Amino acid sequence: MLIRSIEKFLRAYDVSATTFGRLTVKDPRFVYDLRNGREPRPDTEARVQAFIAGYEAGRETTHAA
């Protein structure tokens, strides 16, 4: 489930919900709306998942160096 992945990301990297929404979909209310039942479109969900994967991959290469 997308919201579960987002919540895990927010805790792991200490990112606010508002910042996450701005960075991923240019919508500061995105996470709040998901928490209240909003269903994202498949392309939006894919973009968010790609952001999370890319961020985590970038952190791994930075820490591995």
Side-chain angles (χ1 to χ4, degrees), residues 17-36:
T18 307
T19 298
F20 183 86
R22 280 190 190 116
L23 291 173
T24 56
V25 294
K26 297 180 177 57
D27 179 0
R29 294 204 39 86
F30 179 69
V31 176
Y32 298 112
D33 291 344
L34 289 177
R35 289 173 179 163
N36 288 318

Side-chain angles (χ1 to χ4, degrees), residues 1-11 20 48-49 52 56:
M1 193 170 199
L2 182 63
I3 189 63
R4 190 172 298 157
S5 298
I6 293 170
E7 296 289 0
K8 182 178 173 185
F9 178 89
L10 296 178
R11 283 190 305 276
F20 183 86
V48 170
Q49 292 288 12
I52 291 172
E56 290 174 342

Side-chain angles (χ1 to χ4, degrees), residues 52-63:
I52 291 172
Y55 189 91
E56 290 174 342
R59 298 276 297 193
E60 287 175 11
T61 53
T62 303
H63 290 296

